[in-house]
mmCIF file of all heavy atoms in Angstrom:
data_model
loop_
_atom_site.group_PDB
_atom_site.id
_atom_site.type_symbol
_atom_site.label_atom_id
_atom_site.label_comp_id
_atom_site.label_asym_id
_atom_site.label_seq_id
_atom_site.Cartn_x
_atom_site.Cartn_y
_atom_site.Cartn_z
ATOM 1 N N LEU Z 1 114.508 106.370 100.630
ATOM 2 C CA LEU Z 1 113.139 106.024 100.272
ATOM 3 C C LEU Z 1 113.014 104.529 99.998
ATOM 4 O O LEU Z 1 113.928 103.915 99.452
ATOM 5 C CB LEU Z 1 112.704 106.811 99.035
ATOM 6 C CG LEU Z 1 112.724 108.332 99.175
ATOM 7 C CD1 LEU Z 1 112.433 108.991 97.837
ATOM 8 C CD2 LEU Z 1 111.734 108.791 100.216
ATOM 9 N N LEU Z 2 111.882 103.957 100.379
ATOM 10 C CA LEU Z 2 111.628 102.531 100.194
ATOM 11 C C LEU Z 2 110.393 102.319 99.336
ATOM 12 O O LEU Z 2 109.401 103.044 99.466
ATOM 13 C CB LEU Z 2 111.389 101.850 101.543
ATOM 14 C CG LEU Z 2 112.518 101.870 102.557
ATOM 15 C CD1 LEU Z 2 112.021 101.361 103.902
ATOM 16 C CD2 LEU Z 2 113.676 101.043 102.072
ATOM 17 N N THR Z 3 110.429 101.297 98.487
ATOM 18 C CA THR Z 3 109.253 100.912 97.716
ATOM 19 C C THR Z 3 108.418 99.937 98.555
ATOM 20 O O THR Z 3 108.880 99.444 99.587
ATOM 21 C CB THR Z 3 109.659 100.213 96.403
ATOM 22 O OG1 THR Z 3 110.380 99.021 96.734
ATOM 23 C CG2 THR Z 3 110.500 101.124 95.526
ATOM 24 N N ILE Z 4 107.225 99.646 98.099
ATOM 25 C CA ILE Z 4 106.346 98.698 98.802
ATOM 26 C C ILE Z 4 107.036 97.329 98.982
ATOM 27 O O ILE Z 4 107.030 96.800 100.092
ATOM 28 C CB ILE Z 4 104.992 98.557 98.076
ATOM 29 C CG1 ILE Z 4 104.203 99.853 98.129
ATOM 30 C CG2 ILE Z 4 104.186 97.374 98.623
ATOM 31 C CD1 ILE Z 4 103.374 100.097 99.348
ATOM 32 N N PRO Z 5 107.630 96.745 97.926
ATOM 33 C CA PRO Z 5 108.302 95.450 98.133
ATOM 34 C C PRO Z 5 109.460 95.523 99.136
ATOM 35 O O PRO Z 5 109.680 94.583 99.903
ATOM 36 C CB PRO Z 5 108.811 95.077 96.739
ATOM 37 C CG PRO Z 5 107.922 95.815 95.800
ATOM 38 C CD PRO Z 5 107.579 97.092 96.507
ATOM 39 N N GLU Z 6 110.178 96.641 99.156
ATOM 40 C CA GLU Z 6 111.273 96.806 100.117
ATOM 41 C C GLU Z 6 110.733 96.908 101.548
ATOM 42 O O GLU Z 6 111.319 96.351 102.479
ATOM 43 C CB GLU Z 6 112.104 98.043 99.769
ATOM 44 C CG GLU Z 6 112.899 97.889 98.492
ATOM 45 C CD GLU Z 6 113.487 99.190 97.974
ATOM 46 O OE1 GLU Z 6 113.004 100.279 98.340
ATOM 47 O OE2 GLU Z 6 114.447 99.120 97.181
ATOM 48 N N ILE Z 7 109.626 97.616 101.716
ATOM 49 C CA ILE Z 7 108.992 97.716 103.039
ATOM 50 C C ILE Z 7 108.525 96.338 103.484
ATOM 51 O O ILE Z 7 108.727 95.948 104.633
ATOM 52 C CB ILE Z 7 107.807 98.707 103.008
ATOM 53 C CG1 ILE Z 7 108.306 100.126 102.743
ATOM 54 C CG2 ILE Z 7 107.024 98.652 104.317
ATOM 55 C CD1 ILE Z 7 107.201 101.119 102.439
ATOM 56 N N ALA Z 8 107.912 95.593 102.572
ATOM 57 C CA ALA Z 8 107.406 94.259 102.899
ATOM 58 C C ALA Z 8 108.539 93.353 103.373
ATOM 59 O O ALA Z 8 108.410 92.675 104.394
ATOM 60 C CB ALA Z 8 106.717 93.657 101.676
ATOM 61 N N LYS Z 9 109.635 93.365 102.660
ATOM 62 C CA LYS Z 9 110.782 92.533 103.030
ATOM 63 C C LYS Z 9 111.342 92.964 104.380
ATOM 64 O O LYS Z 9 111.651 92.141 105.234
ATOM 65 C CB LYS Z 9 111.856 92.620 101.955
ATOM 66 C CG LYS Z 9 113.016 91.706 102.185
ATOM 67 C CD LYS Z 9 113.996 91.758 101.033
ATOM 68 C CE LYS Z 9 115.147 90.800 101.272
ATOM 69 N NZ LYS Z 9 116.120 90.850 100.184
ATOM 70 N N ARG Z 10 111.435 94.251 104.579
ATOM 71 C CA ARG Z 10 111.997 94.802 105.810
ATOM 72 C C ARG Z 10 111.122 94.479 107.030
ATOM 73 O O ARG Z 10 111.635 94.261 108.122
ATOM 74 C CB ARG Z 10 112.121 96.321 105.625
ATOM 75 C CG ARG Z 10 112.776 97.072 106.710
ATOM 76 C CD ARG Z 10 112.780 98.551 106.307
ATOM 77 N NE ARG Z 10 113.397 99.358 107.295
ATOM 78 C CZ ARG Z 10 114.615 99.851 107.211
ATOM 79 N NH1 ARG Z 10 115.344 99.621 106.149
ATOM 80 N NH2 ARG Z 10 115.107 100.586 108.164
ATOM 81 N N CYS Z 11 109.792 94.450 106.838
ATOM 82 C CA CYS Z 11 108.857 94.256 107.948
ATOM 83 C C CYS Z 11 108.349 92.824 108.074
ATOM 84 O O CYS Z 11 107.605 92.520 109.002
ATOM 85 C CB CYS Z 11 107.672 95.202 107.786
ATOM 86 S SG CYS Z 11 108.142 96.927 107.867
ATOM 87 N N GLY Z 12 108.700 91.964 107.119
ATOM 88 C CA GLY Z 12 108.246 90.578 107.188
ATOM 89 C C GLY Z 12 106.783 90.400 106.825
ATOM 90 O O GLY Z 12 106.114 89.502 107.336
ATOM 91 N N LEU Z 13 106.282 91.250 105.951
ATOM 92 C CA LEU Z 13 104.896 91.163 105.489
ATOM 93 C C LEU Z 13 104.881 90.910 103.991
ATOM 94 O O LEU Z 13 105.900 91.079 103.319
ATOM 95 C CB LEU Z 13 104.158 92.475 105.779
ATOM 96 C CG LEU Z 13 104.058 92.905 107.236
ATOM 97 C CD1 LEU Z 13 103.531 94.326 107.326
ATOM 98 C CD2 LEU Z 13 103.160 91.958 108.003
ATOM 99 N N SER Z 14 103.737 90.543 103.464
ATOM 100 C CA SER Z 14 103.617 90.411 102.011
ATOM 101 C C SER Z 14 103.484 91.814 101.414
ATOM 102 O O SER Z 14 103.027 92.750 102.077
ATOM 103 C CB SER Z 14 102.399 89.568 101.639
ATOM 104 O OG SER Z 14 101.208 90.265 101.921
ATOM 105 N N ARG Z 15 103.861 91.936 100.159
ATOM 106 C CA ARG Z 15 103.738 93.252 99.521
ATOM 107 C C ARG Z 15 102.267 93.636 99.371
ATOM 108 O O ARG Z 15 101.917 94.819 99.428
ATOM 109 C CB ARG Z 15 104.480 93.302 98.196
ATOM 110 C CG ARG Z 15 103.999 92.376 97.156
ATOM 111 C CD ARG Z 15 104.828 92.469 95.864
ATOM 112 N NE ARG Z 15 104.394 91.471 94.913
ATOM 113 C CZ ARG Z 15 103.280 91.570 94.200
ATOM 114 N NH1 ARG Z 15 102.508 92.619 94.309
ATOM 115 N NH2 ARG Z 15 102.934 90.613 93.366
ATOM 116 N N GLN Z 16 101.394 92.630 99.209
ATOM 117 C CA GLN Z 16 99.967 92.913 99.112
ATOM 118 C C GLN Z 16 99.444 93.497 100.422
ATOM 119 O O GLN Z 16 98.627 94.422 100.415
ATOM 120 C CB GLN Z 16 99.185 91.634 98.767
ATOM 121 C CG GLN Z 16 99.475 91.091 97.388
ATOM 122 C CD GLN Z 16 100.646 90.120 97.343
ATOM 123 O OE1 GLN Z 16 101.429 90.016 98.267
ATOM 124 N NE2 GLN Z 16 100.766 89.399 96.238
ATOM 125 N N ARG Z 17 99.928 92.967 101.543
ATOM 126 C CA ARG Z 17 99.492 93.466 102.852
ATOM 127 C C ARG Z 17 99.977 94.901 103.062
ATOM 128 O O ARG Z 17 99.226 95.756 103.533
ATOM 129 C CB ARG Z 17 100.012 92.547 103.960
ATOM 130 C CG ARG Z 17 99.594 92.983 105.336
ATOM 131 C CD ARG Z 17 98.077 92.844 105.518
ATOM 132 N NE ARG Z 17 97.689 93.372 106.799
ATOM 133 C CZ ARG Z 17 96.718 94.273 106.965
ATOM 134 N NH1 ARG Z 17 95.997 94.689 105.963
ATOM 135 N NH2 ARG Z 17 96.438 94.729 108.165
ATOM 136 N N VAL Z 18 101.234 95.163 102.704
ATOM 137 C CA VAL Z 18 101.776 96.525 102.863
ATOM 138 C C VAL Z 18 101.001 97.488 101.975
ATOM 139 O O VAL Z 18 100.650 98.594 102.398
ATOM 140 C CB VAL Z 18 103.285 96.576 102.549
ATOM 141 C CG1 VAL Z 18 103.794 98.009 102.577
ATOM 142 C CG2 VAL Z 18 104.062 95.720 103.536
ATOM 143 N N HIS Z 19 100.702 97.075 100.748
ATOM 144 C CA HIS Z 19 99.939 97.940 99.849
ATOM 145 C C HIS Z 19 98.552 98.223 100.426
ATOM 146 O O HIS Z 19 98.071 99.356 100.377
ATOM 147 C CB HIS Z 19 99.811 97.299 98.467
ATOM 148 C CG HIS Z 19 99.078 98.154 97.485
ATOM 149 N ND1 HIS Z 19 99.611 99.296 96.954
ATOM 150 C CD2 HIS Z 19 97.827 98.043 96.968
ATOM 151 C CE1 HIS Z 19 98.731 99.858 96.136
ATOM 152 N NE2 HIS Z 19 97.644 99.113 96.134
ATOM 153 N N GLY Z 20 97.922 97.205 100.994
ATOM 154 C CA GLY Z 20 96.610 97.386 101.617
ATOM 155 C C GLY Z 20 96.661 98.354 102.782
ATOM 156 O O GLY Z 20 95.784 99.203 102.942
ATOM 157 N N ILE Z 21 97.698 98.238 103.597
ATOM 158 C CA ILE Z 21 97.864 99.147 104.734
ATOM 159 C C ILE Z 21 98.082 100.567 104.230
ATOM 160 O O ILE Z 21 97.459 101.521 104.712
ATOM 161 C CB ILE Z 21 99.044 98.711 105.625
ATOM 162 C CG1 ILE Z 21 98.722 97.385 106.318
ATOM 163 C CG2 ILE Z 21 99.381 99.785 106.650
ATOM 164 C CD1 ILE Z 21 99.915 96.740 107.008
ATOM 165 N N ALA Z 22 98.953 100.716 103.234
ATOM 166 C CA ALA Z 22 99.252 102.044 102.687
ATOM 167 C C ALA Z 22 98.010 102.693 102.085
ATOM 168 O O ALA Z 22 97.829 103.912 102.162
ATOM 169 C CB ALA Z 22 100.353 101.940 101.633
ATOM 170 N N LYS Z 23 97.144 101.872 101.509
ATOM 171 C CA LYS Z 23 95.943 102.393 100.841
ATOM 172 C C LYS Z 23 94.831 102.740 101.825
ATOM 173 O O LYS Z 23 94.084 103.686 101.606
ATOM 174 C CB LYS Z 23 95.456 101.344 99.842
ATOM 175 C CG LYS Z 23 94.376 101.801 98.933
ATOM 176 C CD LYS Z 23 94.078 100.733 97.903
ATOM 177 C CE LYS Z 23 92.988 101.193 96.959
ATOM 178 N NZ LYS Z 23 92.677 100.192 95.956
ATOM 179 N N THR Z 24 94.730 101.989 102.930
ATOM 180 C CA THR Z 24 93.573 102.163 103.814
ATOM 181 C C THR Z 24 93.853 102.890 105.123
ATOM 182 O O THR Z 24 92.933 103.424 105.729
ATOM 183 C CB THR Z 24 92.944 100.801 104.153
ATOM 184 O OG1 THR Z 24 93.928 99.984 104.790
ATOM 185 C CG2 THR Z 24 92.433 100.101 102.919
ATOM 186 N N ASP Z 25 95.103 102.898 105.570
ATOM 187 C CA ASP Z 25 95.412 103.514 106.862
ATOM 188 C C ASP Z 25 95.875 104.958 106.664
ATOM 189 O O ASP Z 25 96.944 105.194 106.107
ATOM 190 C CB ASP Z 25 96.493 102.715 107.587
ATOM 191 C CG ASP Z 25 96.675 103.166 109.033
ATOM 192 O OD1 ASP Z 25 96.173 104.243 109.406
ATOM 193 O OD2 ASP Z 25 97.330 102.431 109.788
ATOM 194 N N PRO Z 26 95.082 105.926 107.130
ATOM 195 C CA PRO Z 26 95.458 107.327 106.950
ATOM 196 C C PRO Z 26 96.729 107.717 107.722
ATOM 197 O O PRO Z 26 97.339 108.737 107.429
ATOM 198 C CB PRO Z 26 94.249 108.111 107.460
ATOM 199 C CG PRO Z 26 93.487 107.152 108.308
ATOM 200 C CD PRO Z 26 93.811 105.778 107.829
ATOM 201 N N GLU Z 27 97.149 106.901 108.673
ATOM 202 C CA GLU Z 27 98.348 107.194 109.455
ATOM 203 C C GLU Z 27 99.625 106.719 108.761
ATOM 204 O O GLU Z 27 100.724 107.052 109.199
ATOM 205 C CB GLU Z 27 98.231 106.538 110.834
ATOM 206 C CG GLU Z 27 96.956 106.940 111.531
ATOM 207 C CD GLU Z 27 97.184 107.428 112.924
ATOM 208 O OE1 GLU Z 27 98.272 107.237 113.448
ATOM 209 O OE2 GLU Z 27 96.243 108.008 113.481
ATOM 210 N N PHE Z 28 99.486 105.931 107.694
ATOM 211 C CA PHE Z 28 100.664 105.452 106.967
ATOM 212 C C PHE Z 28 101.351 106.649 106.314
ATOM 213 O O PHE Z 28 100.694 107.572 105.850
ATOM 214 C CB PHE Z 28 100.250 104.430 105.897
ATOM 215 C CG PHE Z 28 101.395 103.624 105.364
ATOM 216 C CD1 PHE Z 28 101.905 102.560 106.080
ATOM 217 C CD2 PHE Z 28 101.973 103.939 104.142
ATOM 218 C CE1 PHE Z 28 102.962 101.812 105.595
ATOM 219 C CE2 PHE Z 28 103.028 103.207 103.653
ATOM 220 C CZ PHE Z 28 103.534 102.133 104.383
ATOM 221 N N PRO Z 29 102.693 106.648 106.290
ATOM 222 C CA PRO Z 29 103.410 107.800 105.708
ATOM 223 C C PRO Z 29 102.986 108.081 104.262
ATOM 224 O O PRO Z 29 102.641 107.157 103.519
ATOM 225 C CB PRO Z 29 104.873 107.354 105.746
ATOM 226 C CG PRO Z 29 104.935 106.294 106.782
ATOM 227 C CD PRO Z 29 103.598 105.631 106.783
ATOM 228 N N ALA Z 30 103.021 109.340 103.902
ATOM 229 C CA ALA Z 30 102.644 109.754 102.547
ATOM 230 C C ALA Z 30 103.695 109.301 101.539
ATOM 231 O O ALA Z 30 104.888 109.296 101.821
ATOM 232 C CB ALA Z 30 102.496 111.268 102.493
ATOM 233 N N ALA Z 31 103.229 108.920 100.360
ATOM 234 C CA ALA Z 31 104.118 108.490 99.286
ATOM 235 C C ALA Z 31 104.855 109.684 98.693
ATOM 236 O O ALA Z 31 104.335 110.799 98.665
ATOM 237 C CB ALA Z 31 103.317 107.792 98.200
ATOM 238 N N VAL Z 32 106.061 109.412 98.222
ATOM 239 C CA VAL Z 32 106.867 110.427 97.553
ATOM 240 C C VAL Z 32 107.099 109.939 96.129
ATOM 241 O O VAL Z 32 107.566 108.823 95.922
ATOM 242 C CB VAL Z 32 108.232 110.605 98.266
ATOM 243 C CG1 VAL Z 32 109.117 111.572 97.513
ATOM 244 C CG2 VAL Z 32 108.028 111.037 99.701
ATOM 245 N N ILE Z 33 106.738 110.749 95.153
ATOM 246 C CA ILE Z 33 106.969 110.397 93.758
ATOM 247 C C ILE Z 33 108.230 111.134 93.316
ATOM 248 O O ILE Z 33 108.311 112.359 93.409
ATOM 249 C CB ILE Z 33 105.773 110.796 92.865
ATOM 250 C CG1 ILE Z 33 104.471 110.180 93.380
ATOM 251 C CG2 ILE Z 33 106.034 110.407 91.423
ATOM 252 C CD1 ILE Z 33 104.431 108.677 93.357
ATOM 253 N N THR Z 34 109.219 110.375 92.858
ATOM 254 C CA THR Z 34 110.474 110.983 92.418
ATOM 255 C C THR Z 34 110.487 111.089 90.900
ATOM 256 O O THR Z 34 109.766 110.362 90.207
ATOM 257 C CB THR Z 34 111.678 110.147 92.894
ATOM 258 O OG1 THR Z 34 111.535 108.813 92.422
ATOM 259 C CG2 THR Z 34 111.780 110.136 94.404
ATOM 260 N N ALA Z 35 111.305 111.967 90.391
ATOM 261 C CA ALA Z 35 111.410 112.176 88.950
ATOM 262 C C ALA Z 35 111.935 110.915 88.272
ATOM 263 O O ALA Z 35 112.807 110.226 88.794
ATOM 264 C CB ALA Z 35 112.345 113.342 88.662
ATOM 265 N N GLY Z 36 111.381 110.609 87.123
ATOM 266 C CA GLY Z 36 111.852 109.487 86.335
ATOM 267 C C GLY Z 36 111.190 108.162 86.647
ATOM 268 O O GLY Z 36 111.543 107.137 86.074
ATOM 269 N N THR Z 37 110.235 108.135 87.562
ATOM 270 C CA THR Z 37 109.540 106.894 87.894
ATOM 271 C C THR Z 37 108.121 107.200 88.353
ATOM 272 O O THR Z 37 107.843 108.292 88.837
ATOM 273 C CB THR Z 37 110.282 106.104 88.998
ATOM 274 O OG1 THR Z 37 109.588 104.873 89.225
ATOM 275 C CG2 THR Z 37 110.363 106.870 90.288
ATOM 276 N N THR Z 38 107.249 106.242 88.161
ATOM 277 C CA THR Z 38 105.878 106.392 88.652
ATOM 278 C C THR Z 38 105.660 105.579 89.912
ATOM 279 O O THR Z 38 104.579 105.588 90.467
ATOM 280 C CB THR Z 38 104.871 105.932 87.581
ATOM 281 O OG1 THR Z 38 105.153 104.564 87.245
ATOM 282 C CG2 THR Z 38 104.951 106.795 86.340
ATOM 283 N N ARG Z 39 106.702 104.864 90.348
ATOM 284 C CA ARG Z 39 106.598 104.027 91.548
ATOM 285 C C ARG Z 39 106.670 104.903 92.797
ATOM 286 O O ARG Z 39 107.601 105.673 92.973
ATOM 287 C CB ARG Z 39 107.729 103.011 91.557
ATOM 288 C CG ARG Z 39 107.689 102.105 92.769
ATOM 289 C CD ARG Z 39 108.771 101.088 92.706
ATOM 290 N NE ARG Z 39 108.310 99.985 91.877
ATOM 291 C CZ ARG Z 39 108.930 98.830 91.781
ATOM 292 N NH1 ARG Z 39 110.042 98.631 92.420
ATOM 293 N NH2 ARG Z 39 108.442 97.881 91.025
ATOM 294 N N ALA Z 40 105.679 104.738 93.646
ATOM 295 C CA ALA Z 40 105.659 105.485 94.903
ATOM 296 C C ALA Z 40 106.720 104.932 95.842
ATOM 297 O O ALA Z 40 106.937 103.724 95.910
ATOM 298 C CB ALA Z 40 104.291 105.383 95.555
ATOM 299 N N LYS Z 41 107.378 105.821 96.556
ATOM 300 C CA LYS Z 41 108.363 105.428 97.548
ATOM 301 C C LYS Z 41 108.015 106.130 98.857
ATOM 302 O O LYS Z 41 107.366 107.174 98.857
ATOM 303 C CB LYS Z 41 109.771 105.799 97.088
ATOM 304 C CG LYS Z 41 110.198 105.035 95.846
ATOM 305 C CD LYS Z 41 111.625 105.324 95.472
ATOM 306 C CE LYS Z 41 112.005 104.531 94.231
ATOM 307 N NZ LYS Z 41 113.398 104.755 93.875
ATOM 308 N N TYR Z 42 108.464 105.544 99.945
ATOM 309 C CA TYR Z 42 108.105 106.037 101.266
ATOM 310 C C TYR Z 42 109.364 106.280 102.088
ATOM 311 O O TYR Z 42 110.291 105.481 102.048
ATOM 312 C CB TYR Z 42 107.201 105.012 101.967
ATOM 313 C CG TYR Z 42 105.944 104.732 101.183
ATOM 314 C CD1 TYR Z 42 105.934 103.785 100.156
ATOM 315 C CD2 TYR Z 42 104.779 105.437 101.432
ATOM 316 C CE1 TYR Z 42 104.794 103.547 99.413
ATOM 317 C CE2 TYR Z 42 103.624 105.194 100.698
ATOM 318 C CZ TYR Z 42 103.642 104.253 99.689
ATOM 319 O OH TYR Z 42 102.502 104.026 98.951
#
């Protein structure tokens, strides 16, 4: 699983851009919430 900052680094985008894509694009993979954290991972 990857967090938004990890995705941004991996794809060469800003974390703000990745967050915007995740929030607005229905085709973006669904977030997975794991136990012990509130941070969404993909």
Side-chain angles (χ1 to χ4, degrees):
L1 300 173
L2 298 170
T3 62
I4 294 275
E6 291 168 339
I7 294 169
K9 185 176 181 181
R10 185 180 180 103
C11 297
L13 300 170
S14 70
R15 62 181 175 76
Q16 293 89 346
R17 181 67 185 128
V18 174
H19 182 71
I21 292 169
K23 189 174 181 180
T24 59
D25 190 346
E27 306 230 347
F28 196 79
V32 175
I33 305 297
T34 56
T37 183
T38 58
R39 180 177 277 191
K41 295 185 180 182
Y42 301 85

